[in-house]
Amino acid sequence: MMLRFVVRYFRWLAHVPFAPQLFDAFLLTWTAVFHPQTLQAIEALEAAALRLPGVTPARHKYGGLGFRRAGQEFAHVHGNGLLDVKLTRGRAAEIVAAGRAAPHHVFGPSAWISFQIRTVEDCGPALALLGDEDAGCVK
């Protein structure tokens, strides 16, 4: 996966002004051209997440759309459909152990988890990770 390669070998680019945002824009463009079903799923997730109580949009510092609650970012989605969610360490470990998500793609085992969104069917499980077990996405 391109994001993992870049994070692994070009992590220093995160400190170059606007490089992360440009890379995420490239990911989003790549997704739109080669994986339109993933782009539809990202859009459906964004719309559904922003309907959750108290959730507001924000820019994630490394590109992508962030989700805030009470002024704090608790999740963000990258241009390739990778959703990162911050939980407690214990809850994150439970979800990873249950196979519902993976450890964060950069931090590894931590309070952050990663979930790959590929189709609109992934929207329900993604929203459950955001705290709405009963929600679904409709595009």
Side-chain angles (χ1 to χ4, degrees):
M1 183 165 153
M2 188 182 336
L3 180 61
R4 288 184 195 174
F5 178 82
V6 170
V7 167
R8 185 174 194 164
Y9 296 105
F10 297 99
R11 183 178 281 183
W12 56 271
L13 282 173
H15 303 291
V16 175
F18 303 109
Q21 292 81 5
L22 289 172
F23 178 70
D24 198 74
F26 168 76
L27 283 179
L28 189 60
T29 302
W30 181 274
T31 300
V33 172
F34 295 105
H35 304 284
Q37 72 282 0
T38 300
L39 182 63
Q40 290 174 345
I42 293 169
E43 291 172 347
L45 174 68
E46 289 175 2
L50 294 175
R51 287 192 298 267
L52 296 174
V55 175
T56 59
R59 282 193 196 139
H60 179 55
K61 66 181 176 179
Y62 296 123
L65 177 68
F67 302 107
R68 292 177 158 258
R69 189 180 286 135
Q72 297 291 318
E73 182 180 303
F74 73 98
H76 55 267
V77 62
H78 295 282
N80 65 342
L82 188 64
L83 173 68
D84 295 326
V85 182
K86 186 176 184 182
L87 306 165
T88 64
R89 280 183 173 268
R91 185 72 180 129
E94 288 174 15
I95 289 172
V96 169
R100 293 178 52 205
H104 189 267
H105 61 102
V106 174
F107 302 139
S110 66
W112 285 90
I113 57 172
S114 294
F115 180 80
Q116 185 65 52
I117 300 163
R118 291 185 177 88
T119 67
V120 175
E121 287 75 30
D122 295 328
C123 222
L127 281 171
L129 296 173
L130 296 179
D132 194 343
E133 298 286 339
D134 299 321
C137 297
V138 179
K139 180 65 184 151

